[in-house]
Amino acid sequence: MPVYTLQGPDGKTYDIEGPEGATAEQLGQFVMAQNSQQQSAPLNLGDIKGTSTDPIQPAPQEQPRGDASFGSRFGMGVMDPVHGGAQALTHMLPDSVVNAVNSGVQAVNDAPIIGPVTKFLGMTPASSQELDKRIQQREQEYQAARKEAGQDGIDWARMGGNIVGTTPVMLGVPAGTGLLSRALSGAIVGSGTTGLMPVTDGDYASEKTRQMTLAAGLGAAAGGAGSALASTLSPKVRPEVQALMDQGITPTPGQILGGAAQRTEEKLTSLPVLGDMIVGAQKRGVEDFNRAAYARALESLNVKAPQQVGREGVEGVKDSISAAYNNLLPKLQFKADQQFSSELGNLSNMVANAQTNPNVAKQFNNVLQNDVLSRMSKNGSMDGQSFKDMESALTQSIKKYGGSSNPADKDIGDALGEVLKSAREALSRSNPNYSDELSNINRAYANYARIRDAASRVGAEEGVFTPAQLQSAVRQADKSAGKGQFATGNALMQDLSEAGKAVLGSKYPDSGTAGRGILGMAATGGLAAIDPKLAAAALAATLPYTQTGGKIAAAALTKRPESFKALAEGLRRMTPAISAGAPLLVTGNNK
C-alpha cells in the first residue's frame, strides 16, 4: 500500500499506509478502523490535509538503488530474453490464452518449493499493459543505477548477457557455408535475438517491427562480412582446383573462384586485348594439364616429363618409356609357367564357348600361335628381345580386331588384350629381381596409352588434348566389368581428368583473330591518348592473365599461412554471435 503523510489534531504528522487513490474521507475511515486503538489522540477528518473528495497523493518515496556491477548488468542481459519473450507472448496471443497462462503462472507461484524460484525470475501474472509497465519500471531503475554509478555508453556487460541468453536461437539456425547462406543466417539470428529483447519505450508493435527489420539487415551484413573476411583469411579452395595446382597447373582467377566469377570471365573473352589475354591464360592452363598428364605417365619411372606439348610431348613420353624398357630387356628371361598356360587355355575356351561361329575361335587361336607361341622355345621360354617382338605383334593384332565394327572381332581383340596382360604378369614372375621395375614400366605404359588415345581424338589440335578428351580415353580404357572402376572413380588417371574437366572446362580455347588483337591495341592506344589513367587501369586488368601474374593471382586466391586458417575458422564459428550482437548495438537496450 502507498504511504500518506497526515497531520493529526496534535499538530504532528503521521506516515499512514492506506489504499491507493483514497480520498481524505476514505483514508480517515481506514485509519480510524485500523489504528484507532494505537493513536494517542483520534484523528479528525477535518484536520487531514486535502479535501474529502480529492485523492490524496502518497508521500514521495526514494527509489531503491540498483546494483550497477558487471555481474548485475550481465545478469540483466541474460534475463532480458525472458522478459522480452513474455512481453512478446502477451502481445501476440489472444487474451483468453494470456489469461489461461496467467492462471497457470499463479498456480506455480503458489507452489511451496518452485514458487519462490519463479517469483525471483519475475514470473508473475500480468496482462500486456501491466507487463509493459513492469518492464518500463525495471528499465528505469536499471538505468538510474547505471547513471548513479557514472556509467554511460554501450553496456557491454548487458550485451554479453543478451548473447548468452539468446544462445538457443543462434544454435538453432544453421550457420551456412557460403556468403549468401551466412548472410541469410545472420538475418535470421539478428531478427530472432532482437525479437526477444523487451520493448521499454513507445508502442510495442511499431517499435518491435522497427527493431526486427533493422536487426535483420544488420545481422545479414554482419554474417556476410564475417564470412567474406574469413574467406579472405583462409579461402575455401575447391578440391579440384587444389588438385590441379598441386600438379603444377595454374587455372585463371575465374576458374579458381568458379560460379559467377567464371561465367563473367568467359564473357570478358569477347573484349579486345583483355579477352585475348584471358584466352591465352586458359590455353596455358590446358597445356599445363597436358604436361601434368605426361608427368603422371612417367612418375613411376622417375623420369622428367617433356615440356613440349602436343605431338612432340606425346612422342617424348613414349620414347622415355621405351628407353626404360629397352634398358631392362637384356636382363629379362620369359618362362611360361603353369599359371600362364592355364590362363591361355581358359581364354581359348571362353572364346570358343562365347561364339556360335567356329571361325572366331579359329582366328583367335591363329593369332595366339603366330604372335605368341611361335616365339617361344620348346620349353616355353623367350629372351627379352623376343618378348618385345611378341608384344609388338600382339599389340598390332589387338588394334586390328579391337578397331573392327564386327562384334565378334571386338571379342577377339578383348581376349588378345588379356593374353598380353597375362604374358606381362608371367614375365614379372619369371624375373622376381626385376618385378618392381617391370611393374613401373607397365604402369607408365598404361598411362601413356590413355594419353595417346586422348591426343589422337578429333579436336585435339596438334595432339594437345582437353580434360574431356582424356576423360573419354580413361573411360574407354577401363576393361573392368561394367566399367566398374570408372563408375567408382578409381580408373587410371581419372582423378586428373575429372579435376581438369571440372575446373578448366571441356574445350580448347579459341585464340581469337588477329583483327581483334589489332583493334584492341588501337583501343588501348586511344585510351592512352584520352586518359592515361584509364589506359593504365585497362592494362592492370590484364596482369592476372600473364604467365607470371597468373601464378601470383592463383597464389593470392588459394594460399595462406597455417595460422590464418585457425583465425578464419574461429571467425566462422563466431559469425552467429557477431550477427546476434551487431543488431543489439543499435536496436537493444544497451546503447
Side-chain angles (χ1 to χ4, degrees):
M1 292 185 185
V3 177
Y4 298 88
T5 301
L6 307 177
Q7 186 175 11
D10 55 1
K12 296 181 180 180
T13 57
Y14 299 88
D15 290 336
I16 305 297
E17 286 188 343
E20 185 175 358
T23 64
E25 181 178 357
Q26 293 169 340
L27 186 60
Q29 294 173 354
F30 178 80
V31 171
M32 296 297 292
Q34 299 293 327
N35 301 316
S36 58
Q37 296 180 357
Q38 301 177 12
Q39 299 295 331
S40 58
L43 292 178
N44 190 322
L45 291 181
D47 295 325
I48 298 177
K49 292 183 177 179
T51 66
S52 61
T53 56
D54 294 329
I56 297 178
Q57 296 299 320
Q61 300 295 310
E62 182 180 357
Q63 293 292 329
R65 296 181 180 180
D67 184 2
S69 65
F70 179 90
S72 177
R73 289 183 287 124
F74 183 85
M76 182 79 169
V78 172
M79 292 302 299
D80 275 340
V82 176
H83 294 281
Q87 187 181 29
L89 288 176
T90 60
H91 281 272
M92 293 169 57
L93 297 176
D95 291 342
S96 58
V97 176
V98 173
N99 293 335
V101 171
N102 282 332
S103 298
V105 170
Q106 184 60 55
V108 172
N109 286 345
D110 292 339
I113 298 176
I114 196 173
V117 177
T118 57
K119 289 179 182 178
F120 172 78
L121 294 175
M123 296 176 59
T124 55
S127 64
S128 59
Q129 293 82 3
E130 291 171 339
L131 191 55
D132 288 347
K133 290 181 180 179
R134 291 182 189 175
I135 288 174
Q136 290 174 4
Q137 183 179 355
R138 171 178 177 263
E139 186 67 22
Q140 290 169 0
E141 294 174 356
Y142 177 80
Q143 295 299 341
R146 284 195 69 205
K147 184 176 181 180
E148 185 174 345
Q151 298 173 359
D152 56 9
I154 297 174
D155 194 345
W156 296 107
R158 186 176 185 181
M159 184 185 297
N162 288 162
I163 293 175
V164 171
T166 55
T167 297
V169 176
M170 290 185 280
L171 296 179
V173 179
T177 55
L179 180 62
L180 291 178
S181 61
R182 284 184 178 271
L184 178 59
S185 297
I188 296 173
V189 169
S191 60
T193 53
T194 303
L196 289 176
M197 294 299 104
V199 172
T200 59
D201 188 25
D203 176 68
Y204 180 87
S206 59
E207 179 64 16
K208 184 55 65 178
T209 300
R210 183 194 69 82
Q211 287 182 356
M212 293 183 67
T213 302
L214 181 57
L218 291 173
S227 177
L229 180 56
S231 297
T232 301
L233 291 172
S234 179
K236 293 287 188 180
V237 183
R238 288 183 292 163
E240 300 87 354
V241 172
Q242 192 62 58
L244 294 183
M245 293 187 65
D246 288 344
Q247 297 180 72
I249 302 168
T250 305
T252 65
Q255 290 170 341
I256 291 173
L257 297 173
Q262 187 168 8
R263 292 191 295 271
T264 300
E265 186 179 75
E266 286 292 337
K267 293 176 182 177
L268 292 176
T269 58
S270 62
L271 295 179
V273 182
L274 178 59
D276 287 332
M277 297 293 289
I278 294 174
V279 170
Q282 292 173 339
K283 290 182 67 174
R284 284 196 300 274
V286 174
E287 291 168 0
D288 285 346
F289 177 81
N290 279 245
R291 294 187 185 95
Y294 305 158
R296 176 70 67 85
L298 298 176
E299 183 179 30
S300 60
L301 302 181
N302 197 24
V303 175
K304 187 176 180 180
Q307 291 303 298
Q308 304 94 333
V309 294
R311 297 189 181 102
E312 289 186 22
V314 176
E315 185 71 23
V317 174
K318 177 184 176 183
D319 290 345
S320 295
I321 297 174
S322 297
Y325 193 41
N326 291 335
N327 290 335
L328 184 62
L329 273 177
K331 307 174 186 178
L332 303 179
Q333 184 73 26
F334 174 85
K335 178 67 176 177
D337 55 13
Q338 181 61 39
Q339 181 177 341
F340 177 72
S341 300
S342 176
E343 288 172 351
L344 291 190
N346 291 336
L347 286 169
S348 297
N349 292 333
M350 287 175 61
V351 173
N353 294 332
Q355 302 292 334
T356 57
N357 186 347
N359 289 330
V360 174
K362 184 177 180 180
Q363 290 179 34
F364 170 78
N365 289 324
N366 286 339
V367 175
L368 184 61
Q369 178 62 38
N370 294 332
D371 291 352
V372 182
L373 300 179
S374 65
R375 302 178 189 277
M376 296 182 186
S377 64
K378 291 183 179 180
N379 64 354
S381 62
M382 284 186 285
D383 60 20
Q385 185 59 50
S386 297
F387 187 88
K388 181 180 179 181
D389 294 340
M390 180 272 294
E391 278 187 313
S392 298
L394 193 55
T395 298
Q396 291 300 319
S397 296
I398 291 171
K399 290 181 179 179
K400 171 186 173 182
Y401 286 98
S404 172
S405 59
N406 186 343
D409 288 345
K410 286 183 177 296
D411 289 342
I412 293 175
D414 290 341
L416 293 175
E418 290 299 316
V419 172
L420 180 57
K421 177 183 176 184
S422 180
R424 287 172 173 167
E425 290 174 350
L427 180 66
S428 181
R429 292 194 299 272
S430 301
N431 300 271
N433 293 336
Y434 301 105
S435 60
D436 289 343
E437 292 181 56
L438 275 171
S439 177
N440 290 337
I441 292 172
N442 290 337
R443 183 174 183 83
Y445 189 84
N447 281 320
Y448 163 72
R450 287 150 178 78
I451 292 173
R452 179 186 61 195
D453 183 357
S456 64
R457 290 178 178 263
V458 176
E461 296 185 11
E462 299 181 352
V464 178
F465 52 86
T466 66
Q469 289 167 333
L470 180 60
Q471 178 87 329
S472 297
V474 167
R475 184 180 185 280
Q476 183 171 326
D478 179 16
K479 302 302 181 183
S480 62
K483 298 195 178 297
Q485 288 185 337
F486 186 85
T488 57
N490 296 315
L492 204 60
M493 294 190 84
Q494 187 176 355
D495 60 327
L496 177 62
S497 63
E498 284 191 344
K501 187 176 178 182
V503 177
L504 303 178
S506 58
K507 296 181 179 180
Y508 190 50
D510 181 10
S511 58
T513 64
R516 189 174 73 178
I518 294 172
L519 176 62
M521 293 175 64
T524 304
L527 285 176
I530 297 172
D531 188 343
K533 293 182 179 179
L534 187 59
L539 181 61
T542 66
L543 292 180
Y545 299 100
T546 63
Q547 188 164 3
T548 302
K551 293 183 182 297
I552 295 174
L557 291 171
T558 60
K559 297 180 180 179
R560 296 291 187 278
E562 287 296 322
S563 58
F564 278 35
K565 294 181 180 180
L567 183 61
E569 188 59 31
L571 183 59
R572 289 190 178 98
R573 292 177 180 175
M574 289 175 59
T575 297
I578 295 172
S579 298
L584 295 176
L585 286 171
V586 294
T587 62
N589 304 306
N590 307 303
K591 303 183 291 295

